[in-house]
Amino acid sequence: MKLFITCFGPAREITGQRQLELDVPGVTTAGALRSYLLNTWPDFRSLDVVRVAVNQAYAEDDLTINEGDELAIIPPVSGG
Amino acid sequence: MKLFITCFGPAREITGQRQLELDVPGVTTAGALRSYLLNTWPDFRSLDVVRVAVNQAYAEDDLTINEGDELAIIPPVSGG
Amino acid sequence: MMKAKDIQIKEIPLDPEWCRTFVSDVSCGGQVTFTGTVRNHTGDRKVERLEYEAYVPMAMKVLEQIIDRAGERYPIIRCAVHHRLGSLELGTSAVVVAVAAAHRKEAFEACMFIIDELKKDAPIWKKEISPQGDEWVSSRP
Amino acid sequence: MMKAKDIQIKEIPLDPEWCRTFVSDVSCGGQVTFTGTVRNHTGDRKVERLEYEAYVPMAMKVLEQIIDRAGERYPIIRCAVHHRLGSLELGTSAVVVAVAAAHRKEAFEACMFIIDELKKDAPIWKKEISPQGDEWVSSRP
């Protein structure tokens, strides 16, 4: 299953890319994606929190990811 | 001692005048003036509170009034 | 330490944006502005317009004291309080309180404090003009 | 019951007075407007400007949800939330939250609630450009 993941703010600087294209067996939930990111780019661990958004909404770790979902990495926000 | 007292808002309608001119022996403190007003125009008793201002500041009842002071009756305020 | 305050009581329309701009400051993270406008009702009473009057020189002093007390309680940097007098149609701005502080929580609290104190202490009166009869607002039993 | 809400995320300057006017309503006694501006410091750190970016479509949804939650908690009548993107000089408005309610206390509380939630949840990021080096704001340890 091919996943397209957009990286915002500090996440973009940590991965070095705005768009990630992943095809990793086992990454079928938001939580698994989060773990994959933290393991692949240990700098994510320096952030207070890393959330995953699925189809433009914050996802709980047990949410299943399907091919074609809109995925994003949401590092700590700082709007306002 | 001649006193000039300005009546604002509902106080003006109760006394029927914007400016009162009083010369009442015994009215030498803010409290005495307040009592005089409440006795002379009993409609003041329908208001929650009647304050007296001396020289543009709220006066405690024991404040002495002197000839030439700027006096005002302050019925319940409702600015804003 | 308060850098600037501006108090106006006037017969002409208020300008909330002027107040907001007056309190803007690069050392502040934000401004909070309260604008009080003439509402078409008070409880079940229909309101047609409001007539405001003030004991102007005393009101200027009382407002300045209120702002100074706000400045002792909250680290506000700049503040403007403008109050309108005369006959005001529905929707018209009657009062503007604008406050800037380094942090927003303090700006909100100072703005609330000032409008609360203004309503308690400033020698200003409004009469409601209503089909059910005219009435001085806070003299209602 | 909320009559109207307006959410904008944009690259051009914000207009706080437009927001205040948008939320004005004759059934309301007042509007509370918070304007967040670019401050020249964060603690001891000097700030030269801020660069904002957002996950725009999600941010629009999150802001709408925040306003709706505010409407469930407080009887607000009208609300506008505008957020700026791009490179902002000192003093520039980054966010405006305007709220109208029948009574001022509720308008203040709803406005505070919305800006607090926006800062917690809206997918928007700012980078501080500083002589001490550039930094994403909330990623600082």
Side-chain angles (χ1 to χ4, degrees), chain A residues 10-55:
Chain A
R12 193 178 56 250
E13 302 198 351
I14 287 170
T15 64
Q17 300 166 74
R18 183 176 162 85
Q19 280 279 347
L20 299 178
E21 202 179 315
L22 294 184
D23 191 354
V24 184
V27 174
T28 58
T29 64
L33 174 58
R34 242 161 48 77
S35 300
Y36 177 83
L37 296 168
L38 292 170
N39 289 329
T40 308
W41 290 279
D43 281 354
F44 275 125
R45 297 182 192 276
S46 71
L47 303 180
D48 280 344
V49 62
V50 177
R51 289 186 277 189
V52 166
V54 177
N55 298 326

Side-chain angles (χ1 to χ4, degrees), chain C residues 122-138:
Chain C
I124 303 173
W125 296 270
K126 59 172 166 260
K127 190 189 238 178
E128 278 178 8
I129 310 303
S130 161
Q132 290 104 304
D134 304 348
E135 232 173 51
W136 290 101
V137 166
S138 55

Side-chain angles (χ1 to χ4, degrees), chain B residues 6-13 18 46-48 51 53 55-58 70-80, chain C residues 52-55 57-58 61-62 83 94-95 115 118-127 136-141:
Chain B
T6 311
C7 304
F8 289 100
R12 193 176 58 249
E13 303 197 351
R18 184 177 162 85
S46 70
L47 302 179
D48 279 345
R51 287 185 278 188
N55 297 325
Q56 306 183 357
Y58 291 112
E70 180 174 327
L71 302 173
I73 308 174
I74 311 286
V77 300
S78 51
Chain C
Y52 281 86
E53 67 173 69
Y55 181 9
M58 178 170 165
K61 288 182 188 176
V62 169
H83 205 295
V95 62
I115 183 67
L118 179 155
K119 285 178 178 260
K120 264 192 282 185
D121 269 347
I124 303 173
W125 296 270
K126 59 172 166 260
K127 190 189 238 178
W136 290 101
V137 166
S138 55
S139 64
R140 190 175 306 145

